[in-house]
Amino acid sequence: MEYHSAHIQYEWYKTTEGRQYYSAIVRQGKRKIYGLLERPVFSLQVAMETASYKLFITGKAGVGKSSTVAKLTGQSVPTTHNETPGIVTSVAYWPAKLKESGKIVLFKLQFWDAGENAIKKFDHILPACQDGASAVLFLFSFTDRPSFEDLRNQMTKLSETGASFTKIVIGTKYDQYSHSEITSAELQDFQDQWQVPILKVKNINKPQENDLLYSVDNFAEINDVAPLLNGLVESLWTKGKVPSGTWRESGGGPTGRPPGPSRTPAPSVDDLDDATYV
C-alpha cells in the first residue's frame, strides 16, 4: 500500500526534473560521499533552499546503527559488527520537492553515531551527540526483540529531559523479517501510542550482480534508497521542531522555518510497508 505523504512529493525522483537534481549526487550509479564541509554542486541555475539537520542515532549495541548510517549515506554496508569506538559523523544530501509550494529543498542530514560502550565510558560523548540535535533516530532490530522492548524506556528517558527532539524509529535488518518475533500489531500499537513514524531498512548491500545495473542505470541507487530517505525527510519536515536545524536560502537570503507540526494522524504500519524500507 502506498503511503501518501503530507508535504514531500514521493515520486519526484522518478521525473525528468527530479533526475536533473539527483544527477548532482551520483557518480557512475553510486551516490557521492561527502565530508562535513562539502556539498553537491548543481548545474541548474535555480534558487534552492537548504534545510540542515543534526540527527543522533541511538539503540542497543548490534542493532545495526553503523550499517544503517552507511545505507543512508551511500557507503558500503559493513558485513561484520564492530563497536563504534567514539563518535562518527557522516553526511547525506537529499533533494526533495514540496507538494504545496513546488519548492525544491536540499536536505543536509548529518548523522551522529556513537558506540554504546563509549557513551558509558566517556561522560562527554552523549551530551556532544545530543547538543543541538534536530532529531533522535531510535533503532531496533527485527531480529532482536529486547531492542524493540527497550524503545519505550529509551524514549521515556529522553522525554523526561524536557528536550524537544523530533523522535523517529527505524527498524533494522528488515531483510530478516521472516525470523522476527515482532508482529505488525505490536508495531502499530507502538506507533499509535508514541505518534512516531516507524521506518524500515534492509541492512545489506545489493548483490554484486547489480553492479552492472548501477553502471548502466545511473539512478539505480537513487531508486533503491529514495523510499527510506523520502520517509525520513518527510518526518523531519512535518514535525518542524528543529532546535538545531538551520534553515537558509542557498544564496544567503533571509532565514525561515519549516512548517509547524502536522496534526494528521500517523499512517498505519501497513501504509508504510511499501514506502519506507530499502
Side-chain angles (χ1 to χ4, degrees), residues 66-68 70-71 75-80 202-206:
S66 297
S67 60
T68 297
K71 189 82 174 184
Q75 304 176 59
S76 178
V77 176
T79 56
T80 58
K202 295 179 180 179
N203 298 73
I204 54 174
N205 288 308
K206 288 296 181 181

Side-chain angles (χ1 to χ4, degrees), residues 1 15 21 23 34 40 42 60 71 80 98 100 112 128 136-137 144 146 169 185 243 247 250 252 263-264 274 276:
M1 188 181 300
T15 68
Y21 287 86
S23 63
Y34 295 95
F42 294 90
K60 285 182 57 183
K71 189 82 174 184
T80 58
L98 304 183
E100 291 189 6
W112 285 57
V136 177
L137 308 185
D144 182 0
V169 174
W247 171 258
S250 294
R263 301 302 178 187
T264 304
D274 294 335
T276 56

Side-chain angles (χ1 to χ4, degrees), residues 200-212:
K200 307 176 183 73
V201 60
K202 295 179 180 179
N203 298 73
I204 54 174
N205 288 308
K206 288 296 181 181
Q208 291 184 351
E209 55 264 26
N210 278 3
D211 287 345
L212 177 59

Side-chain angles (χ1 to χ4, degrees), residues 183-198:
T183 66
S184 295
E186 289 176 307
L187 294 175
Q188 187 65 62
D189 288 344
F190 182 90
Q191 184 171 262
D192 291 343
Q193 178 184 357
W194 289 92
Q195 286 296 294
V196 295
I198 299 178

Side-chain angles (χ1 to χ4, degrees), residues 219-238:
F219 295 94
E221 188 180 348
I222 296 296
N223 297 334
D224 179 33
V225 300
L228 178 62
L229 280 168
N230 277 335
L232 180 56
V233 300
E234 168 78 23
S235 299
L236 293 168
W237 188 264
T238 299

